Structure formats: C-alpha cells, structure tokens
Amino acid sequence: QVQLVESGGGLVQPGGSLRLSCAAAGRTFSSYAMGWFRQAPGKERAFVASIGWNGVSTSYADSVKGRFTISRDNAESTVSLQMNSLKPEDTAVYYCAAAPRGGGSWYGTYTTWGQGTQVTVSS
C-alpha cells in the first residue's frame, strides 16, 4: 500500500495557475497508477486526471482537457497536477489517489486517498 499527502492548493484568480503535488510512500509505490479527483461543496466527487506508473497512458476529464497536465516522477515518488487557465468552476478540494491496477476515471479502482488540498479560484 501507499500513503499520500497532497500540497500546493490555495487561492488564485481566474486565468491563473497552480501546481498540485502528491507525495507517496510505500513498498509497492512504483506499481500503482495515480489519479486526481475533486469535490466541490454540494457535488459528487469527480474524476480529473490519471496516469499509469507502468506506461505512458494518461486520461483527463473533458472539463480540464487542454488546461491541466498530470505528470509523475517515480524517482521522487511524486505525482503532480499542473493547472492552467483556472476557472471558478475548478474550485474544489483536490484529492490524490492510488490504484493497485488500472486507474482511470472510476473511483472504485483507487484504494488509497490523500487528505485533500483546497483550490479556490475567485476574483
């Protein structure tokens, strides 16, 4: 299993950028796919992006495609989410998650979750 800690959230104006980071630790870290989800007040948890540790495959929600980029650094045991051209609709708590296999957009494949980091986009 892995342990996850997110960081990098904060307050940003519309059109601005933030970079979220997720630090992971665990014996089998390198075998896990990683994903980012978000949850706004009164709304359900939503998929944002995912990346497979064993391949090049990445996936993005339509709402963030072209604006967000997920990346990984296995040597540092981290996964990041670069968020550009932020919109008020992006305001949410962002969670890093790890999947022992598969990953992708279905939350049920993820077995470990971080505490979350708040992202607020407002003028």
Side-chain angles (χ1 to χ4, degrees):
Q1 64 176 351
V2 298
Q3 306 292 328
L4 307 175
V5 180
E6 304 98 331
S7 63
L11 175 65
V12 64
Q13 293 184 335
S17 298
L18 283 174
R19 184 177 179 87
L20 306 183
S21 295
C22 175
R27 289 184 176 182
T28 59
F29 163 77
S30 62
S31 68
Y32 282 71
M34 302 295 296
W36 288 96
F37 291 76
R38 65 187 182 185
Q39 187 167 22
K43 297 185 178 180
E44 296 182 348
R45 177 174 49 188
F47 169 75
V48 177
S50 67
I51 186 167
W53 291 119
N54 295 323
V56 71
S57 179
T58 59
S59 182
Y60 296 92
D62 288 342
S63 59
V64 307
K65 193 171 297 182
R67 300 188 296 121
F68 291 10
T69 302
I70 189 171
S71 61
R72 67 187 181 189
D73 187 339
N74 286 350
E76 297 291 333
S77 298
T78 58
V79 61
S80 298
L81 185 70
Q82 178 66 45
M83 306 186 297
N84 299 327
S85 302
L86 283 162
K87 305 174 180 179
E89 303 94 283
D90 296 318
T91 296
V93 177
Y94 284 70
Y95 297 92
C96 177
R101 72 187 79 181
S105 63
W106 185 43
Y107 72 88
T109 66
Y110 297 88
T111 60
T112 305
W113 298 80
Q115 293 288 326
T117 185
Q118 177 71 48
V119 172
T120 302
V121 184
S122 176
S123 60

